[in-house]
mmCIF file of all heavy atoms in Angstrom:
data_model
loop_
_atom_site.group_PDB
_atom_site.id
_atom_site.type_symbol
_atom_site.label_atom_id
_atom_site.label_comp_id
_atom_site.label_asym_id
_atom_site.label_seq_id
_atom_site.Cartn_x
_atom_site.Cartn_y
_atom_site.Cartn_z
ATOM 1 N N GLY A 493 -4.675 8.165 -3.278
ATOM 2 C CA GLY A 493 -4.164 8.845 -4.458
ATOM 3 C C GLY A 493 -3.395 7.932 -5.375
ATOM 4 O O GLY A 493 -3.484 8.039 -6.609
ATOM 5 N N VAL A 494 -2.600 7.008 -4.808
ATOM 6 C CA VAL A 494 -1.853 6.048 -5.627
ATOM 7 C C VAL A 494 -2.825 5.146 -6.375
ATOM 8 O O VAL A 494 -2.644 4.871 -7.574
ATOM 9 C CB VAL A 494 -0.891 5.222 -4.746
ATOM 10 C CG1 VAL A 494 -0.262 4.088 -5.558
ATOM 11 C CG2 VAL A 494 0.205 6.109 -4.161
ATOM 12 N N ALA A 495 -3.857 4.675 -5.684
ATOM 13 C CA ALA A 495 -4.854 3.812 -6.332
ATOM 14 C C ALA A 495 -5.518 4.536 -7.498
ATOM 15 O O ALA A 495 -5.688 3.966 -8.591
ATOM 16 C CB ALA A 495 -5.894 3.362 -5.306
ATOM 17 N N LYS A 496 -5.871 5.789 -7.286
ATOM 18 C CA LYS A 496 -6.516 6.566 -8.353
ATOM 19 C C LYS A 496 -5.563 6.777 -9.521
ATOM 20 O O LYS A 496 -5.968 6.713 -10.689
ATOM 21 C CB LYS A 496 -7.003 7.903 -7.807
ATOM 22 C CG LYS A 496 -7.813 8.710 -8.802
ATOM 23 C CD LYS A 496 -8.452 9.936 -8.167
ATOM 24 C CE LYS A 496 -9.312 10.692 -9.169
ATOM 25 N NZ LYS A 496 -9.963 11.870 -8.559
ATOM 26 N N ARG A 497 -4.296 7.026 -9.215
ATOM 27 C CA ARG A 497 -3.299 7.247 -10.262
ATOM 28 C C ARG A 497 -3.197 6.017 -11.189
ATOM 29 O O ARG A 497 -2.989 6.153 -12.390
ATOM 30 C CB ARG A 497 -1.943 7.544 -9.612
ATOM 31 C CG ARG A 497 -0.839 8.036 -10.536
ATOM 32 C CD ARG A 497 -0.976 9.487 -10.925
ATOM 33 N NE ARG A 497 -0.918 10.435 -9.831
ATOM 34 C CZ ARG A 497 0.194 10.978 -9.332
ATOM 35 N NH1 ARG A 497 1.374 10.615 -9.814
ATOM 36 N NH2 ARG A 497 0.128 11.876 -8.367
ATOM 37 N N PHE A 498 -3.348 4.827 -10.604
ATOM 38 C CA PHE A 498 -3.227 3.600 -11.386
ATOM 39 C C PHE A 498 -4.568 3.079 -11.886
ATOM 40 O O PHE A 498 -4.620 2.048 -12.563
ATOM 41 C CB PHE A 498 -2.537 2.510 -10.562
ATOM 42 C CG PHE A 498 -1.044 2.690 -10.468
ATOM 43 C CD1 PHE A 498 -0.474 3.385 -9.411
ATOM 44 C CD2 PHE A 498 -0.214 2.199 -11.448
ATOM 45 C CE1 PHE A 498 0.897 3.565 -9.329
ATOM 46 C CE2 PHE A 498 1.151 2.373 -11.383
ATOM 47 C CZ PHE A 498 1.711 3.059 -10.328
ATOM 48 N N GLY A 499 -5.640 3.759 -11.511
ATOM 49 C CA GLY A 499 -6.950 3.340 -11.974
ATOM 50 C C GLY A 499 -7.432 2.037 -11.372
ATOM 51 O O GLY A 499 -8.129 1.252 -12.025
ATOM 52 N N VAL A 500 -7.055 1.778 -10.109
ATOM 53 C CA VAL A 500 -7.501 0.571 -9.412
ATOM 54 C C VAL A 500 -8.206 0.979 -8.131
ATOM 55 O O VAL A 500 -8.057 2.104 -7.645
ATOM 56 C CB VAL A 500 -6.316 -0.372 -9.090
ATOM 57 C CG1 VAL A 500 -5.605 -0.787 -10.359
ATOM 58 C CG2 VAL A 500 -5.332 0.293 -8.125
ATOM 59 N N GLY A 501 -8.978 0.067 -7.553
ATOM 60 C CA GLY A 501 -9.636 0.344 -6.293
ATOM 61 C C GLY A 501 -8.633 0.329 -5.152
ATOM 62 O O GLY A 501 -7.685 -0.460 -5.161
ATOM 63 N N GLU A 502 -8.829 1.205 -4.159
ATOM 64 C CA GLU A 502 -7.895 1.240 -3.043
ATOM 65 C C GLU A 502 -7.862 -0.095 -2.304
ATOM 66 O O GLU A 502 -6.792 -0.566 -1.885
ATOM 67 C CB GLU A 502 -8.255 2.363 -2.068
ATOM 68 C CG GLU A 502 -7.256 2.495 -0.932
ATOM 69 C CD GLU A 502 -7.679 3.495 0.132
ATOM 70 O OE1 GLU A 502 -8.601 4.289 -0.126
ATOM 71 O OE2 GLU A 502 -7.087 3.467 1.233
ATOM 72 N N GLY A 503 -9.012 -0.727 -2.142
ATOM 73 C CA GLY A 503 -9.059 -2.023 -1.475
ATOM 74 C C GLY A 503 -8.261 -3.073 -2.227
ATOM 75 O O GLY A 503 -7.524 -3.867 -1.618
ATOM 76 N N ASP A 504 -8.387 -3.083 -3.553
ATOM 77 C CA ASP A 504 -7.622 -4.031 -4.364
ATOM 78 C C ASP A 504 -6.127 -3.765 -4.254
ATOM 79 O O ASP A 504 -5.319 -4.701 -4.163
ATOM 80 C CB ASP A 504 -8.056 -3.941 -5.833
ATOM 81 C CG ASP A 504 -9.453 -4.491 -6.063
ATOM 82 O OD1 ASP A 504 -9.931 -5.276 -5.220
ATOM 83 O OD2 ASP A 504 -10.078 -4.124 -7.081
ATOM 84 N N LEU A 505 -5.752 -2.488 -4.258
ATOM 85 C CA LEU A 505 -4.338 -2.134 -4.119
ATOM 86 C C LEU A 505 -3.790 -2.609 -2.780
ATOM 87 O O LEU A 505 -2.712 -3.219 -2.714
ATOM 88 C CB LEU A 505 -4.165 -0.619 -4.256
ATOM 89 C CG LEU A 505 -2.745 -0.077 -4.023
ATOM 90 C CD1 LEU A 505 -1.786 -0.617 -5.080
ATOM 91 C CD2 LEU A 505 -2.737 1.449 -4.005
ATOM 92 N N ARG A 506 -4.529 -2.348 -1.706
ATOM 93 C CA ARG A 506 -4.078 -2.758 -0.376
ATOM 94 C C ARG A 506 -3.916 -4.284 -0.292
ATOM 95 O O ARG A 506 -2.901 -4.780 0.228
ATOM 96 C CB ARG A 506 -5.083 -2.281 0.677
ATOM 97 C CG ARG A 506 -5.023 -0.790 0.981
ATOM 98 C CD ARG A 506 -6.169 -0.386 1.904
ATOM 99 N NE ARG A 506 -6.075 0.999 2.352
ATOM 100 C CZ ARG A 506 -5.522 1.388 3.499
ATOM 101 N NH1 ARG A 506 -5.007 0.487 4.319
ATOM 102 N NH2 ARG A 506 -5.480 2.657 3.830
ATOM 103 N N HIS A 507 -4.903 -5.019 -0.770
ATOM 104 C CA HIS A 507 -4.830 -6.476 -0.690
ATOM 105 C C HIS A 507 -3.665 -7.027 -1.516
ATOM 106 O O HIS A 507 -2.970 -7.947 -1.082
ATOM 107 C CB HIS A 507 -6.153 -7.101 -1.167
ATOM 108 C CG HIS A 507 -7.209 -7.145 -0.123
ATOM 109 N ND1 HIS A 507 -8.029 -6.068 0.154
ATOM 110 C CD2 HIS A 507 -7.574 -8.134 0.751
ATOM 111 C CE1 HIS A 507 -8.868 -6.389 1.135
ATOM 112 N NE2 HIS A 507 -8.616 -7.623 1.513
ATOM 113 N N THR A 508 -3.450 -6.453 -2.696
ATOM 114 C CA THR A 508 -2.371 -6.933 -3.543
ATOM 115 C C THR A 508 -1.008 -6.614 -2.936
ATOM 116 O O THR A 508 -0.096 -7.456 -2.948
ATOM 117 C CB THR A 508 -2.477 -6.329 -4.960
ATOM 118 O OG1 THR A 508 -3.777 -6.607 -5.498
ATOM 119 C CG2 THR A 508 -1.428 -6.927 -5.877
ATOM 120 N N LEU A 509 -0.837 -5.413 -2.394
ATOM 121 C CA LEU A 509 0.416 -5.071 -1.712
ATOM 122 C C LEU A 509 0.674 -6.026 -0.552
ATOM 123 O O LEU A 509 1.807 -6.474 -0.332
ATOM 124 C CB LEU A 509 0.370 -3.625 -1.209
ATOM 125 C CG LEU A 509 0.468 -2.518 -2.268
ATOM 126 C CD1 LEU A 509 0.172 -1.159 -1.646
ATOM 127 C CD2 LEU A 509 1.845 -2.508 -2.923
ATOM 128 N N PHE A 510 -0.370 -6.343 0.198
ATOM 129 C CA PHE A 510 -0.239 -7.266 1.327
ATOM 130 C C PHE A 510 0.166 -8.662 0.851
ATOM 131 O O PHE A 510 1.120 -9.267 1.360
ATOM 132 C CB PHE A 510 -1.561 -7.329 2.093
ATOM 133 C CG PHE A 510 -1.644 -8.440 3.106
ATOM 134 C CD1 PHE A 510 -0.871 -8.401 4.257
ATOM 135 C CD2 PHE A 510 -2.488 -9.513 2.900
ATOM 136 C CE1 PHE A 510 -0.941 -9.430 5.193
ATOM 137 C CE2 PHE A 510 -2.565 -10.545 3.824
ATOM 138 C CZ PHE A 510 -1.784 -10.499 4.977
ATOM 139 N N GLU A 511 -0.523 -9.175 -0.159
ATOM 140 C CA GLU A 511 -0.277 -10.536 -0.610
ATOM 141 C C GLU A 511 1.064 -10.683 -1.313
ATOM 142 O O GLU A 511 1.793 -11.658 -1.079
ATOM 143 C CB GLU A 511 -1.406 -10.972 -1.551
ATOM 144 C CG GLU A 511 -2.753 -11.142 -0.847
ATOM 145 C CD GLU A 511 -3.900 -11.357 -1.827
ATOM 146 O OE1 GLU A 511 -3.673 -11.201 -3.044
ATOM 147 O OE2 GLU A 511 -5.007 -11.686 -1.369
ATOM 148 N N GLU A 512 1.427 -9.716 -2.164
ATOM 149 C CA GLU A 512 2.638 -9.843 -2.962
ATOM 150 C C GLU A 512 3.911 -9.503 -2.187
ATOM 151 O O GLU A 512 5.009 -9.645 -2.715
ATOM 152 C CB GLU A 512 2.533 -8.975 -4.225
ATOM 153 C CG GLU A 512 1.458 -9.436 -5.196
ATOM 154 C CD GLU A 512 1.697 -10.848 -5.720
ATOM 155 O OE1 GLU A 512 2.870 -11.197 -5.966
ATOM 156 O OE2 GLU A 512 0.719 -11.604 -5.865
ATOM 157 N N THR A 513 3.785 -9.054 -0.958
ATOM 158 C CA THR A 513 4.957 -8.882 -0.078
ATOM 159 C C THR A 513 5.002 -9.986 0.968
ATOM 160 O O THR A 513 5.682 -9.857 1.988
ATOM 161 C CB THR A 513 4.940 -7.503 0.611
ATOM 162 O OG1 THR A 513 3.701 -7.338 1.323
ATOM 163 C CG2 THR A 513 5.099 -6.379 -0.400
ATOM 164 N N GLY A 514 4.286 -11.080 0.706
ATOM 165 C CA GLY A 514 4.312 -12.204 1.632
ATOM 166 C C GLY A 514 3.640 -11.914 2.960
ATOM 167 O O GLY A 514 3.993 -12.506 3.985
ATOM 168 N N GLY A 515 2.683 -10.994 2.962
ATOM 169 C CA GLY A 515 1.980 -10.667 4.205
ATOM 170 C C GLY A 515 2.794 -9.823 5.162
ATOM 171 O O GLY A 515 2.534 -9.823 6.372
ATOM 172 N N MET A 516 3.763 -9.056 4.650
ATOM 173 C CA MET A 516 4.634 -8.255 5.518
ATOM 174 C C MET A 516 3.873 -7.163 6.261
ATOM 175 O O MET A 516 4.240 -6.799 7.378
ATOM 176 C CB MET A 516 5.753 -7.613 4.688
ATOM 177 C CG MET A 516 6.851 -8.545 4.257
ATOM 178 S SD MET A 516 8.073 -7.708 3.214
ATOM 179 C CE MET A 516 8.754 -6.505 4.352
ATOM 180 N N TYR A 517 2.837 -6.630 5.647
ATOM 181 C CA TYR A 517 2.158 -5.477 6.217
ATOM 182 C C TYR A 517 0.659 -5.762 6.371
ATOM 183 O O TYR A 517 -0.158 -5.293 5.565
ATOM 184 C CB TYR A 517 2.377 -4.238 5.343
ATOM 185 C CG TYR A 517 3.822 -3.858 5.202
ATOM 186 C CD1 TYR A 517 4.558 -4.261 4.087
ATOM 187 C CD2 TYR A 517 4.470 -3.121 6.185
ATOM 188 C CE1 TYR A 517 5.897 -3.935 3.959
ATOM 189 C CE2 TYR A 517 5.808 -2.789 6.069
ATOM 190 C CZ TYR A 517 6.517 -3.199 4.957
ATOM 191 O OH TYR A 517 7.844 -2.867 4.837
ATOM 192 N N PRO A 518 0.257 -6.492 7.411
ATOM 193 C CA PRO A 518 -1.170 -6.804 7.592
ATOM 194 C C PRO A 518 -2.028 -5.570 7.793
ATOM 195 O O PRO A 518 -3.228 -5.594 7.486
ATOM 196 C CB PRO A 518 -1.182 -7.708 8.835
ATOM 197 C CG PRO A 518 0.111 -7.450 9.530
ATOM 198 C CD PRO A 518 1.095 -7.132 8.449
ATOM 199 N N GLU A 519 -1.426 -4.470 8.268
ATOM 200 C CA GLU A 519 -2.213 -3.253 8.481
ATOM 201 C C GLU A 519 -2.724 -2.652 7.170
ATOM 202 O O GLU A 519 -3.657 -1.841 7.186
ATOM 203 C CB GLU A 519 -1.388 -2.226 9.266
ATOM 204 C CG GLU A 519 -1.174 -2.631 10.713
ATOM 205 C CD GLU A 519 -0.229 -1.693 11.443
ATOM 206 O OE1 GLU A 519 0.717 -1.190 10.812
ATOM 207 O OE2 GLU A 519 -0.444 -1.478 12.641
ATOM 208 N N LEU A 520 -2.145 -3.053 6.059
ATOM 209 C CA LEU A 520 -2.709 -2.641 4.777
ATOM 210 C C LEU A 520 -4.154 -3.120 4.655
ATOM 211 O O LEU A 520 -4.993 -2.474 4.019
ATOM 212 C CB LEU A 520 -1.876 -3.206 3.617
ATOM 213 C CG LEU A 520 -0.532 -2.524 3.345
ATOM 214 C CD1 LEU A 520 0.317 -3.388 2.415
ATOM 215 C CD2 LEU A 520 -0.737 -1.135 2.750
ATOM 216 N N VAL A 521 -4.442 -4.255 5.292
ATOM 217 C CA VAL A 521 -5.777 -4.838 5.224
ATOM 218 C C VAL A 521 -6.614 -4.487 6.456
ATOM 219 O O VAL A 521 -7.804 -4.197 6.345
ATOM 220 C CB VAL A 521 -5.673 -6.375 5.077
ATOM 221 C CG1 VAL A 521 -7.062 -7.015 5.068
ATOM 222 C CG2 VAL A 521 -4.915 -6.742 3.817
ATOM 223 N N THR A 522 -5.967 -4.463 7.630
ATOM 224 C CA THR A 522 -6.738 -4.269 8.871
ATOM 225 C C THR A 522 -6.935 -2.812 9.251
ATOM 226 O O THR A 522 -7.809 -2.499 10.054
ATOM 227 C CB THR A 522 -6.042 -4.981 10.046
ATOM 228 O OG1 THR A 522 -4.771 -4.353 10.326
ATOM 229 C CG2 THR A 522 -5.818 -6.451 9.733
ATOM 230 N N ARG A 523 -6.126 -1.906 8.683
ATOM 231 C CA ARG A 523 -6.189 -0.502 9.103
ATOM 232 C C ARG A 523 -6.556 0.395 7.927
ATOM 233 O O ARG A 523 -5.734 1.154 7.413
ATOM 234 C CB ARG A 523 -4.857 -0.057 9.716
ATOM 235 C CG ARG A 523 -4.462 -0.768 11.002
ATOM 236 C CD ARG A 523 -5.464 -0.505 12.129
ATOM 237 N NE ARG A 523 -5.572 0.912 12.436
ATOM 238 C CZ ARG A 523 -4.784 1.548 13.298
ATOM 239 N NH1 ARG A 523 -3.841 0.885 13.946
ATOM 240 N NH2 ARG A 523 -4.954 2.835 13.539
ATOM 241 N N GLY A 524 -7.803 0.316 7.503
ATOM 242 C CA GLY A 524 -8.275 1.197 6.440
ATOM 243 C C GLY A 524 -8.244 2.656 6.825
ATOM 244 O O GLY A 524 -8.298 3.535 5.965
ATOM 245 N N ASP A 525 -8.140 2.932 8.144
ATOM 246 C CA ASP A 525 -8.070 4.313 8.604
ATOM 247 C C ASP A 525 -6.680 4.916 8.397
ATOM 248 O O ASP A 525 -6.525 6.141 8.461
ATOM 249 C CB ASP A 525 -8.464 4.402 10.082
ATOM 250 C CG ASP A 525 -7.542 3.573 10.977
ATOM 251 O OD1 ASP A 525 -7.234 2.411 10.608
ATOM 252 O OD2 ASP A 525 -7.113 4.076 12.038
ATOM 253 N N LEU A 526 -5.671 4.086 8.194
ATOM 254 C CA LEU A 526 -4.315 4.577 7.923
ATOM 255 C C LEU A 526 -4.127 4.659 6.420
ATOM 256 O O LEU A 526 -4.075 3.641 5.730
ATOM 257 C CB LEU A 526 -3.273 3.649 8.548
ATOM 258 C CG LEU A 526 -3.349 3.448 10.069
ATOM 259 C CD1 LEU A 526 -2.197 2.557 10.546
ATOM 260 C CD2 LEU A 526 -3.321 4.791 10.803
ATOM 261 N N GLU A 527 -4.034 5.874 5.904
ATOM 262 C CA GLU A 527 -4.051 6.080 4.453
ATOM 263 C C GLU A 527 -2.662 6.272 3.847
ATOM 264 O O GLU A 527 -2.526 6.351 2.624
ATOM 265 C CB GLU A 527 -4.916 7.289 4.109
ATOM 266 C CG GLU A 527 -6.392 7.096 4.449
ATOM 267 C CD GLU A 527 -7.243 8.256 4.006
ATOM 268 O OE1 GLU A 527 -6.777 9.420 4.129
ATOM 269 O OE2 GLU A 527 -8.371 8.027 3.535
ATOM 270 N N VAL A 528 -1.624 6.332 4.678
ATOM 271 C CA VAL A 528 -0.265 6.560 4.176
ATOM 272 C C VAL A 528 0.593 5.325 4.442
ATOM 273 O O VAL A 528 0.554 4.758 5.535
ATOM 274 C CB VAL A 528 0.375 7.802 4.817
ATOM 275 C CG1 VAL A 528 1.822 7.968 4.346
ATOM 276 C CG2 VAL A 528 -0.435 9.057 4.471
ATOM 277 N N PHE A 529 1.348 4.919 3.437
ATOM 278 C CA PHE A 529 2.200 3.732 3.493
ATOM 279 C C PHE A 529 3.618 4.131 3.111
ATOM 280 O O PHE A 529 3.839 4.755 2.072
ATOM 281 C CB PHE A 529 1.648 2.677 2.524
ATOM 282 C CG PHE A 529 2.478 1.436 2.374
ATOM 283 C CD1 PHE A 529 3.040 0.797 3.467
ATOM 284 C CD2 PHE A 529 2.663 0.874 1.111
ATOM 285 C CE1 PHE A 529 3.783 -0.364 3.319
ATOM 286 C CE2 PHE A 529 3.404 -0.297 0.946
ATOM 287 C CZ PHE A 529 3.968 -0.910 2.060
ATOM 288 N N LEU A 530 4.590 3.774 3.969
ATOM 289 C CA LEU A 530 5.999 3.958 3.632
ATOM 290 C C LEU A 530 6.510 2.626 3.105
ATOM 291 O O LEU A 530 6.816 1.716 3.871
ATOM 292 C CB LEU A 530 6.805 4.390 4.864
ATOM 293 C CG LEU A 530 6.319 5.631 5.613
ATOM 294 C CD1 LEU A 530 7.349 6.054 6.670
ATOM 295 C CD2 LEU A 530 6.042 6.790 4.672
ATOM 296 N N PRO A 531 6.584 2.462 1.787
ATOM 297 C CA PRO A 531 6.900 1.155 1.209
ATOM 298 C C PRO A 531 8.377 0.793 1.371
ATOM 299 O O PRO A 531 9.242 1.684 1.449
ATOM 300 C CB PRO A 531 6.530 1.333 -0.265
ATOM 301 C CG PRO A 531 6.734 2.790 -0.525
ATOM 302 C CD PRO A 531 6.347 3.484 0.750
ATOM 303 N N PRO A 532 8.696 -0.513 1.403
ATOM 304 C CA PRO A 532 10.085 -0.955 1.577
ATOM 305 C C PRO A 532 10.854 -0.962 0.262
ATOM 306 O O PRO A 532 11.391 -1.979 -0.170
ATOM 307 C CB PRO A 532 9.906 -2.371 2.135
ATOM 308 C CG PRO A 532 8.655 -2.855 1.484
ATOM 309 C CD PRO A 532 7.754 -1.649 1.379
ATOM 310 N N ILE A 533 10.903 0.186 -0.392
ATOM 311 C CA ILE A 533 11.584 0.307 -1.682
ATOM 312 C C ILE A 533 12.563 1.468 -1.622
ATOM 313 O O ILE A 533 12.547 2.279 -0.699
ATOM 314 C CB ILE A 533 10.576 0.539 -2.831
ATOM 315 C CG1 ILE A 533 9.789 1.836 -2.597
ATOM 316 C CG2 ILE A 533 9.653 -0.647 -2.979
ATOM 317 C CD1 ILE A 533 8.851 2.204 -3.735
ATOM 318 N N GLY A 534 13.425 1.542 -2.609
ATOM 319 C CA GLY A 534 14.357 2.652 -2.689
ATOM 320 C C GLY A 534 13.641 3.946 -3.026
ATOM 321 O O GLY A 534 12.579 3.940 -3.661
ATOM 322 N N GLY A 535 14.221 5.051 -2.630
ATOM 323 C CA GLY A 535 13.643 6.354 -2.908
ATOM 324 C C GLY A 535 14.271 6.996 -4.130
ATOM 325 O O GLY A 535 14.437 6.360 -5.175
ATOM 326 N N GLN A 536 14.633 8.246 -4.002
ATOM 327 C CA GLN A 536 15.222 8.976 -5.118
ATOM 328 C C GLN A 536 16.116 10.081 -4.582
ATOM 329 O O GLN A 536 15.993 10.508 -3.432
ATOM 330 C CB GLN A 536 14.123 9.576 -5.991
ATOM 331 C CG GLN A 536 13.195 10.516 -5.230
ATOM 332 C CD GLN A 536 11.986 10.916 -6.021
ATOM 333 O OE1 GLN A 536 12.073 11.754 -6.896
ATOM 334 N NE2 GLN A 536 10.841 10.324 -5.697
ATOM 335 N N THR A 537 17.024 10.520 -5.428
ATOM 336 C CA THR A 537 17.887 11.654 -5.113
ATOM 337 C C THR A 537 17.789 12.633 -6.269
ATOM 338 O O THR A 537 17.822 12.230 -7.435
ATOM 339 C CB THR A 537 19.349 11.216 -4.939
ATOM 340 O OG1 THR A 537 19.413 10.133 -4.015
ATOM 341 C CG2 THR A 537 20.194 12.367 -4.409
ATOM 342 N N ILE A 538 17.641 13.900 -5.949
ATOM 343 C CA ILE A 538 17.623 14.903 -7.007
ATOM 344 C C ILE A 538 18.834 15.816 -6.857
ATOM 345 O O ILE A 538 19.251 16.145 -5.744
ATOM 346 C CB ILE A 538 16.320 15.741 -7.011
ATOM 347 C CG1 ILE A 538 16.105 16.452 -5.661
ATOM 348 C CG2 ILE A 538 15.133 14.867 -7.346
ATOM 349 C CD1 ILE A 538 14.923 17.406 -5.676
#
């Protein structure tokens, strides 16, 4: 859904997230069956 929201391919999104975080999350590339990612960023408060 995130990939579609940004108009990019899911594979491209996964590879870029993996590369631009210094390889922190190899499962972005090796685990295409895992579709949910908890990113290491701040959240929000409402």
Side-chain angles (χ1 to χ4, degrees):
V494 172
K496 186 172 183 179
R497 190 77 62 88
F498 283 93
V500 301
E502 184 187 345
D504 290 339
L505 175 64
R506 285 173 173 265
H507 277 84
T508 305
L509 288 170
F510 168 69
E511 292 171 351
E512 294 299 322
T513 55
M516 285 177 64
Y517 299 97
E519 290 174 325
L520 285 166
V521 178
T522 66
R523 296 297 300 272
D525 60 315
L526 301 183
E527 295 184 321
V528 176
F529 175 44
L530 305 189
I533 60 175
Q536 58 190 283
T537 309
I538 58 173

